[in-house]
Amino acid sequence: MTDRLAIVGAGAKAVAVAAKAAMLRDMGVATPEIVAVERTAIAANWRAGGGWTDGQHRLGTSPEKDVGFPYRSTILPGRNAELDQRMMGLSWQSYLVATGRFAEWVDRGKPAPTHDTWAGYLRWVGAAAKLNIVEGEVIRLSLDGQSWVLHTGEDTVTADAVMITGPGQPDRSVLPGHRQVLSIAQFWQLAAEHERIDAERVAVIGGGETAASMLNELFKHRVSTITVISPQATLFTRGESFFENRMFSDPTDWTGLTLAERRDVMARTDRGVFSARVQDSLLADDRIRHLRGRVAHGVAADGRIRITLHTDRQGERLETVHGFDLVIDGSGADSLWFLPLLGQDVRDLLEIRLNGPLTSDRLQQAIGADLALTAVRPKLLLPNLSGLIQGPGFPNLSCLGLLSDRVLGGGADGRASYSTTRRNNEHQSL
Ligand SMILES: Cc1cc2nc3c(=O)[nH]c(=O)nc-3n(C[C@H](O)[C@H](O)[C@H](O)COP(=O)(O)OP(=O)(O)OC[C@H]3O[C@@H](n4cnc5c(N)ncnc54)[C@H](O)[C@@H]3O)c2cc1C
């Protein structure tokens, strides 16, 4: 039983969970208290200044994949239709109606909103759900008996369960502090300040949607060639047909696939792929080319940044060096970003429960239906690592309504042992 769930970051996932909890509470169902600890502001990563965008670029997924999507709650047998109906009141379309923009959006052909508009939507839901936010950056996570303690510089928050969200920090770079090397955050800061980038040979490290969004911006600047560096054989286009999308909205058949099949689906649809829209609009430009390899390191020499790449060729590791005038490190998103926050007591607990060091693979394979590490108490929910075992939509925006069912309900069918009437403040689940 969880009385209080603390969420690191007041982003899309925290808002979705708070929205579902608020609707359940309105229906008289006892739910845990949700508290988000946020270092900047609600939906900060979707706005200029958050380090991941200038706010003007557009959402890749449909905005109808909003906090309640796919509107197929299973958490409250007998009352799920009513719950979905209530969640519709917090939908993307309800937001447009509430802010007088619905008809225009439809008449314009339902365009993808900018990241900034999406942040506006998340803030609107957060306010409607009365999301409780503690301001501060979580710098350490420790244990106190059966409780988690989240430490910020000034505060501590105690909770029965913790959920980690967000893509990590956008200020990593292959050569920190060098003026010819930009992190994701530095790149977007320049873009937001309308500073023009002027360079002959530019490299963008990373072949995923973060890099795609940066390419979209980079094309407006004065650059002669852009080399995208990624380990994949080429710049793959994301599979976006009904069959692929369906796996993200509805992971029912996911567990029937072998791990190899799941990894294959994720490689085609999620990791290091560009959306068809990006491929159409950008990659036709003859300034762009692809270089296969993993960046080993970078050094400054003779006015250029020399990047050393490792490539596997028929079992042998090949090392090549390439020179650029400007390098933009777009490889920032890291689902293990929270590991340095863990106190030694937490590391010890996790390593004992997981039978070994905290590798990505070990953590991913230990995630249960409630998106928490199965053997660990108090609960540690890691939705960003749950794609492989629970379904590819959980780390992103593809099924936030299902995510909140799993987090609050605790099971693969999302069903909670909730009572449908509140009894003396007695919490019955999670
Ligand atoms: C440029 C870009 C575009 C994207 N477009 C899409 C898309 O179209 N569709 C899609 O499905 N996915 C997209 N994604 C992936 C996206 O990150 C996730 O889908 C979604 O935002 C994840 O929600 P979240 O709640 O985990 O994180 P976020 O919405 O990113 O929120 C994380 C929050 O945590 C806060 N935070 C971080 N560290 C700390 C700390 N130590 N202490 C306190 N607070 C902290 C941040 O300030 C932020 O507010 C995109 C990602 C990027 C970078």
Side-chain angles (χ1 to χ4, degrees), residues 8-14 37-46 52-53 58-61 115 122 136-139 165-169 188 209-210 213 337 341 384 395-398:
V8 180
K13 294 191 183 80
V37 185
E38 168 58 52
R39 68 166 170 206
T40 319
I42 191 165
N45 281 358
W46 297 95
W52 292 96
T53 175
R58 291 187 185 273
L59 199 64
T61 40
H115 291 158
L122 293 177
E137 176 168 0
V138 177
I139 51 174
T165 70
Q169 315 313 337
W188 285 118
E209 205 60 34
T210 308
S213 205
W337 71 267
L341 303 186
N384 288 349
N396 42 67
L397 305 178
S398 300

Side-chain angles (χ1 to χ4, degrees), residues 267-309:
R268 286 162 191 258
T269 54
D270 200 25
R271 298 280 150 77
V273 288
F274 285 175
S275 63
R277 198 181 58 183
V278 167
Q279 295 274 20
D280 282 351
S281 64
L282 300 181
L283 301 183
D285 193 307
D286 62 8
R287 287 179 293 173
I288 195 159
R289 68 191 194 97
H290 176 244
L291 194 57
R292 177 173 164 246
R294 277 185 196 285
V295 174
H297 51 87
V299 290
D302 308 326
R304 285 197 152 179
I305 302 297
R306 296 191 183 280
I307 296 286
T308 302
L309 287 188

Side-chain angles (χ1 to χ4, degrees), residues 58 92 96 100-114 117:
R58 291 187 185 273
W92 162 250
L96 293 182
R101 288 181 282 179
F102 180 63
E104 183 177 337
W105 180 67
V106 172
D107 288 342
R108 285 185 185 276
K110 301 186 179 180
T114 62
T117 306

Side-chain angles (χ1 to χ4, degrees), residues 9 53 64 75 81 90 105 179 190 215 220 233 312-313 320 361 398 419:
T53 175
E64 284 146 311
I75 197 170
L90 298 175
W105 180 67
R179 62 178 178 80
L190 288 181
L215 283 177
K220 299 183 204 148
D312 285 329
R313 288 251 162 96
T320 51
D361 231 37
S398 300
S419 65

Side-chain angles (χ1 to χ4, degrees), residues 141-394:
L141 201 58
S142 63
L143 285 162
D144 180 10
Q146 276 309 296
S147 299
W148 288 107
V149 187
L150 293 80
H151 304 260
T152 69
E154 299 86 41
D155 245 327
T156 56
V157 173
T158 306
D160 311 293
V162 166
M163 178 163 96
I164 309 283
T165 70
Q169 315 313 337
D171 27 36
R172 279 195 330 191
S173 113
V174 64
L175 203 58
H178 197 285
R179 62 178 178 80
Q180 284 167 283
V181 182
L182 298 178
S183 66
I184 299 170
Q186 287 169 321
F187 175 80
W188 285 118
Q189 191 178 343
L190 288 181
E193 289 165 359
H194 303 293
E195 292 257 352
R196 202 178 60 183
I197 292 171
D198 218 329
E200 285 284 312
R201 298 191 57 187
V202 179
V204 174
I205 303 173
E209 205 60 34
T210 308
S213 205
M214 295 199 298
L215 283 177
N216 206 357
E217 170 65 28
L218 204 50
F219 272 82
K220 299 183 204 148
H221 297 255
R222 231 176 35 209
V223 295
S224 302
T225 63
I226 303 170
T227 304
V228 180
I229 302 174
S230 76
Q232 285 85 9
T234 186
L235 293 175
F236 288 109
T237 307
R238 173 185 295 153
E240 290 173 352
S241 75
F242 164 73
F243 299 102
E244 285 136 343
N245 288 342
R246 204 188 61 149
M247 291 207 176
F248 280 73
S249 311
D250 179 5
T252 314
D253 298 333
W254 188 247
T255 46
L257 304 178
T258 63
L259 285 185
E261 286 168 333
R262 294 184 215 179
R263 286 200 169 98
D264 188 36
V265 172
M266 286 163 83
R268 286 162 191 258
T269 54
D270 200 25
R271 298 280 150 77
V273 288
F274 285 175
S275 63
R277 198 181 58 183
V278 167
Q279 295 274 20
D280 282 351
S281 64
L282 300 181
L283 301 183
D285 193 307
D286 62 8
R287 287 179 293 173
I288 195 159
R289 68 191 194 97
H290 176 244
L291 194 57
R292 177 173 164 246
R294 277 185 196 285
V295 174
H297 51 87
V299 290
D302 308 326
R304 285 197 152 179
I305 302 297
R306 296 191 183 280
I307 296 286
T308 302
L309 287 188
H310 288 169
T311 324
D312 285 329
R313 288 251 162 96
Q314 288 159 352
E316 265 185 55
R317 196 171 79 181
L318 216 68
E319 190 169 286
T320 51
V321 180
H322 308 262
F324 299 99
D325 302 311
L326 177 70
V327 173
I328 303 165
D329 192 342
S331 62
D334 174 12
S335 52
L336 300 180
W337 71 267
F338 62 94
L339 288 182
L341 303 186
L342 306 182
Q344 195 55 48
D345 53 346
V346 180
R347 280 185 164 272
D348 290 347
L349 171 79
L350 299 190
E351 288 182 359
I352 289 168
R353 295 288 183 218
L354 271 55
N355 290 320
L358 304 180
T359 60
S360 174
D361 231 37
R362 186 170 276 117
L363 286 161
Q364 287 184 67
Q365 302 221 23
I367 300 221
D370 55 358
L371 313 185
L373 292 171
T374 38
V376 175
R377 288 294 176 276
K379 274 194 187 189
L380 179 59
L381 294 97
L382 301 175
N384 288 349
L385 284 161
S386 65
L388 183 66
I389 300 300
Q390 297 302 331
F394 289 116

